[in-house]
Amino acid sequence: MQRFLSSKNKTKGTLQADSASIKKTRYTRVNSCNAKYTGKLDQALGYFLATVGTSDDYVVRTVLVAGRDGACLFLKTLCDPEAVQSALREIHCHDFAQLKEQKVLAKYLVDRVLSGAETTFSTNLFDMKEAIVAGDLVIIVDGVSPAVIIRAKHVEHRALDEPKFETSVRGSQIGFVENITTNISILRDGFMTETLVVKKLHVGSRNRKEVAVVYLHDVANPNLVRTVVDRIKTIKIDTVSQGTDIELRIIGHKWTMFPLTRAVQRVDSTVKEISQGKVVVIVDGDPTVLIVPVTIQDFFQTEEDYSRSSFEATFIRWIRIVAFIFALYLPALYISFVDYNPELLPKVLGLQIAKSREGVPFPAIFEVIMMQVVIEILREATLRMPRQLGQTLGIVGGLVVGEATVQAGLVSNVLIIVVSLTAISIFVSPSYEFGMVLRLGNFVMFTSAAICGLYAIVIVSIVILYELSSLESFGVPYLSPFDGRYIRDGIVDGMFRIPLTLLERFRTAHILPQTTRIGRGFRRGGRSK
């Protein structure tokens, strides 16, 4: 044992040489995930020295446990120093005279000595190594198996804050943070019920990122839960840095530009979706959670809609629908009416557009492309620059570029109005992911309009509608509830929103929950009459 403890203080080159020599002795490094810990302290220390021992923050603290040599293994940059000191203090101060059999020493440590800590047992060297890397404290004793693992990870993280991308006037202002334990705890606080289930998985062959699947077991469809868990388990990836790494591998459609999950930062929105029977995926280190399944109507709704009257909420939703049409079709219609179908415009309006384009040297398609590219450059620059400068850049850039291009005669006044209204309409979308779809769809639409005018716009619209009708999000049709089977959901809480006193009596049926009615007399099966 002393050989391995002293080698930890050598230089990096000496440590590598020592690791090479270990492989030639009986302390051979075991690479298998099924490597068993049999109680041989020197062999275990050799294995850890050859794996996590190459790092300078790896610490081995010797300890005497009931007259036997032992060691506490941890990473000082991840493990809570107070937890380490507390464990060592309890072991040093305890009188092991009550211990009758040495073979039950591990259980005795957990039951009598470390009873205040969250502990587990392990007889697998690979799992023990993963626990050390995850920030836990591992205690091994010579001649004693299994080892004791103490949950002791401690990493500083930011406090709860309001969401950055989902602001609202009314309702909760709490958003998720990067710590998965904190995110689960605030969901637990929103759901004080025993039916809330949290399933934890680990993804990544190298960093083993923790992923949690959260749902109500008496509401969520069991097939949906099984599908989500199975798809996460099949992910083969080296490292997971954010939730997008999980999202792009579980959606099931690799070549679609439409979002098949919903990324949310608001806690109240997540609680609402879970109560409807949806499943939430939380990835450690990401302040956004993924909600599945989703349909196209989810991207026109916000949690703030339910803090308004039914008339006001319905009005706001229709504003979003109109903004969606403007963002997708306005530049394409401008090109079509200017270059191909001017006879469809009222005479006065057509003359005004023609007058505004006098002296413009470019066709309409080049006008639109030039201004749309400028808008995209300004948008990206505003996102990447410091917050104090971003707003100034957006205002000054918009005014200067817009005014300069008109004065120079490069574009028409009408086009400036069209491009500005299109950019504003994109921001009306509550979802950033769906706003990106509008930005890409906008380019597709006006490019097709430059080829064949209104005919091309109609053809591309049909193709997009066909794509939408063929998509599914975890077994739920993307156009649901507007595909006809659950049209009631689209009426009462889709394009319209009925009063909450009526809406709260049932759940939406198009995502196929176990129960569609809330309270007495609920009906199982997820099918509406």
Side-chain angles (χ1 to χ4, degrees):
M1 175 179 176
Q2 295 298 325
R3 172 190 174 192
F4 295 105
L5 295 180
S6 61
S7 64
K8 183 68 182 72
N9 299 322
K10 297 178 181 180
T11 61
K12 183 176 181 181
T14 306
L15 185 60
Q16 293 175 345
D18 185 62
S19 298
S21 65
I22 291 172
K23 299 178 182 179
K24 300 179 181 180
T25 65
R26 64 187 181 93
Y27 312 118
T28 303
R29 175 180 175 179
V30 184
N31 292 318
S32 173
C33 295
N34 298 320
K36 189 175 182 180
Y37 171 62
T38 59
K40 297 180 180 180
L41 181 62
D42 287 349
Q43 182 181 14
L45 291 176
Y47 172 77
F48 295 131
L49 179 64
T51 53
V52 295
T54 57
S55 178
D56 290 338
D57 58 348
Y58 170 67
V59 178
V60 179
R61 295 284 297 272
T62 59
V63 62
L64 195 65
V65 183
R68 293 176 175 267
D69 290 334
C72 294
L73 316 175
F74 59 95
L75 296 179
K76 63 181 179 181
T77 52
L78 276 181
C79 195
D80 187 0
E82 294 184 3
V84 176
Q85 295 299 329
S86 175
L88 291 173
R89 189 185 311 112
E90 294 291 339
I91 294 175
H92 284 308
C93 296
H94 188 79
D95 182 11
F96 287 91
Q98 302 177 8
L99 179 63
K100 298 180 180 180
E101 298 183 18
Q102 292 288 335
K103 63 181 181 180
V104 295
L105 178 58
K107 187 175 186 303
Y108 184 87
L109 278 174
V110 173
D111 294 340
R112 299 292 185 88
V113 183
L114 306 172
S115 57
E118 181 183 352
T119 57
T120 57
F121 296 112
S122 178
T123 58
N124 187 287
L125 288 174
F126 179 82
D127 292 340
M128 293 160 62
K129 184 255 295 181
E130 291 296 307
I132 295 174
V133 174
D136 295 336
L137 172 64
V138 176
I139 301 177
I140 54 178
V141 181
D142 191 25
V144 177
S145 179
V148 178
I149 300 176
I150 301 177
R151 182 77 172 180
K153 181 179 180 180
H154 178 73
V155 179
E156 294 292 338
H157 56 84
R158 64 185 178 96
L160 296 179
D161 197 3
E162 65 181 44
K164 302 298 183 183
F165 298 105
E166 295 178 277
T167 58
S168 65
V169 178
R170 301 182 62 179
S172 174
Q173 301 297 321
I174 299 177
F176 291 107
V177 294
E178 287 78 8
N179 186 272
I180 189 173
T181 303
T182 303
N183 293 339
I184 295 175
S185 66
I186 57 181
L187 280 181
R188 283 283 187 190
D189 184 60
F191 270 112
M192 297 182 182
T193 173
E194 74 283 358
T195 61
L196 184 69
V197 177
V198 178
K199 289 186 177 294
K200 289 189 176 181
L201 308 169
H202 289 85
V203 180
S205 59
R206 187 173 297 275
N207 68 343
R208 304 289 293 168
K209 184 72 74 172
E210 191 173 20
V211 179
V213 179
V214 185
Y215 60 95
L216 293 177
H217 76 80
D218 60 339
V219 178
N221 192 312
N223 293 330
L224 170 63
V225 177
R226 191 181 308 112
T227 300
V228 174
V229 173
D230 290 345
R231 289 185 182 182
I232 294 176
K233 286 182 177 179
T234 57
I235 295 177
K236 304 299 181 183
I237 187 175
D238 194 38
T239 59
V240 177
S241 59
Q242 56 185 341
T244 309
D245 296 330
I246 303 296
E247 175 187 3
L248 297 179
R249 289 168 173 81
I250 64 174
I251 56 177
H253 296 268
K254 310 301 182 185
W255 296 99
T256 180
M257 67 177 182
F258 294 97
L260 299 180
T261 65
R262 185 179 168 199
V264 177
Q265 288 185 325
R266 295 179 62 90
V267 176
D268 54 355
S269 297
T270 307
V271 170
K272 172 71 175 179
E273 299 290 5
I274 292 177
S275 66
Q276 294 296 315
K278 296 187 178 183
V279 176
V280 171
V281 179
I282 307 175
V283 180
D284 191 22
D286 196 328
T288 61
V289 302
L290 304 176
I291 298 177
V292 296
V294 295
T295 62
I296 193 169
Q297 79 165 9
D298 292 331
F299 300 103
F300 293 87
Q301 300 176 358
T302 64
E303 181 61 25
E304 194 175 2
D305 294 346
Y306 301 96
S307 63
R308 307 173 186 267
S309 67
S310 59
F311 298 102
E312 187 178 2
T314 300
F315 173 75
I316 294 298
R317 288 183 180 181
W318 276 98
I319 289 295
R320 296 186 187 122
I321 294 174
V322 173
F324 166 78
I325 297 173
F326 282 174
L328 192 60
Y329 289 104
L330 209 55
L333 291 176
Y334 173 82
I335 295 173
S336 177
F337 289 140
V338 169
D339 288 347
Y340 289 94
N341 310 104
E343 70 279 358
L344 298 179
L345 290 174
K347 182 180 295 186
V348 177
L349 179 59
L351 291 175
Q352 289 291 340
I353 294 177
K355 184 178 179 180
S356 68
R357 297 195 74 252
E358 288 183 0
V360 176
F362 304 114
I365 179 61
F366 287 105
E367 284 186 273
V368 173
I369 290 177
M370 181 170 57
M371 293 308 301
Q372 287 290 90
V373 170
V374 169
I375 292 294
E376 293 298 329
I377 291 174
L378 288 175
R379 181 185 283 114
E380 287 299 313
T382 303
L383 289 175
R384 309 304 169 202
M385 292 188 67
R387 184 176 302 177
Q388 295 79 0
L389 300 177
Q391 187 174 3
T392 303
L393 174 67
I395 296 174
V396 174
L399 292 176
V400 171
V401 173
E403 183 67 22
T405 52
V406 173
Q407 292 294 333
L410 298 178
V411 297
S412 65
N413 292 324
V414 176
L415 179 63
I416 295 296
I417 299 174
V418 169
V419 172
S420 301
L421 186 56
T422 302
I424 295 173
S425 298
I426 291 175
F427 286 113
V428 174
S429 174
S431 170
Y432 176 81
E433 290 79 9
F434 201 73
M436 180 60 70
V437 172
L438 292 179
R439 291 162 64 181
L440 296 176
N442 179 25
F443 274 86
V444 173
M445 279 295 178
F446 71 68
T447 302
S448 61
I451 298 174
C452 199
L454 285 176
Y455 295 105
I457 295 176
V458 173
I459 292 174
V460 172
S461 299
I462 293 174
V463 172
I464 292 176
L465 188 60
Y466 175 80
E467 169 72 8
L468 290 173
S469 63
S470 63
L471 287 178
E472 286 187 353
S473 175
F474 294 85
V476 177
Y478 202 62
L479 287 181
S480 185
F482 304 107
D483 56 357
R485 299 176 62 190
Y486 304 99
I487 194 64
R488 184 191 67 176
D489 292 345
I491 295 176
V492 300
D493 192 20
M495 300 176 68
F496 305 93
R497 206 222 72 196
I498 64 175
L500 291 178
T501 54
L502 300 176
L503 185 62
E504 64 188 7
R505 296 180 183 177
F506 57 87
R507 297 182 178 91
T508 53
H510 65 273
I511 61 174
L512 305 179
Q514 295 186 56
T515 62
T516 57
R517 302 195 69 84
I518 300 175
R520 295 181 57 187
F522 67 83
R523 179 170 47 80
R524 295 186 179 273
R527 297 270 182 178
S528 59
K529 293 182 179 180

